[in-house]
Every structure is written in C-alpha cells, then in structure tokens.
Amino acid sequence: LMRSIGGGYDNESIAITAMSLTFYLWVRSLRTEHSWPVGILTALAYTYMVAAWGGYIFVLNMIGVHALLLVLVGRYSTSLHRAYSLFYFFGTYGAMCVPVVGR
C-alpha cells in the first residue's frame, strides 16, 4: 500500500494519473476520423506527465510503438498521422519548456 496512489504522497501518485490521462487521450484521438485534434490535449497531458515524473520517455515510446503497430497492421489513416504529429510536436515543445528536461 505504501507505493500505491492511496498510500504515498510522492510524485508517483501524480505521474500515474498523468500517464493514464495521456494514454486515454491518445486512444481517444484515434476514435473517429474527426477526433484527431484531441492530439493537442494528449500533448498537454504528456507535458504534465513530464513535469511530474522522470519516466516520461516511457510514455513517448509507448505511443510511438502503438502508432507504428497501427501502421504495420494496416490501420494507417490520415487521422493517425495528424494525431501523432500534433502529439509529437506540441508534446516535445512542452517537454522542452520543463526546466529539468530542457536545460
């Protein structure tokens, strides 16, 4: 219980919430052809994740791997390209604005 969200007051409590929000918004940005602008919200959640925890590279890699797998299994669409581009551009920019990352 000490390492869980209910038992700890460390930054992992915030990071797990931010990570879950980022993954949820990523999947939400791929739901329909017109939901790709949610990629910007995904980038904002990712920036929050970067500010909260040092394991932010895991989130970036998992979303990249998911996008690659979608391409490999033939599920590529312009919506995927737009959502990933928005996420990557604004997410990287937001991460670079965090003082620990963007030294």
Side-chain angles (χ1 to χ4, degrees):
L1 182 63
M2 187 60 189
R3 300 286 296 171
S4 70
I5 291 175
Y9 297 102
D10 202 9
N11 55 356
E12 282 94 0
S13 302
I14 297 168
I16 294 298
T17 303
M19 187 184 314
S20 299
L21 178 64
T22 304
F23 289 143
Y24 170 76
L25 288 172
W26 169 247
V27 173
R28 178 64 182 91
S29 71
L30 302 176
R31 186 175 290 176
T32 66
E33 285 293 318
H34 302 290
S35 61
W36 58 265
V38 178
I40 295 173
L41 295 176
T42 307
L44 289 174
Y46 173 70
T47 302
Y48 180 58
M49 170 67 197
V50 170
W53 190 44
Y56 62 90
I57 199 72
F58 170 76
V59 177
L60 183 65
N61 288 340
M62 289 307 293
I63 289 178
V65 166
H66 183 251
L68 178 65
L69 286 174
L70 287 175
V71 170
L72 291 177
V73 298
R75 303 271 304 175
Y76 174 79
S77 66
T78 56
S79 178
L80 171 66
H81 181 261
R82 290 176 182 166
Y84 186 76
S85 296
L86 286 172
F87 161 72
Y88 190 80
F89 178 77
F90 289 111
T92 302
Y93 177 75
M96 294 304 293
C97 291
V98 175
V100 175
V101 178
R103 292 183 208 188

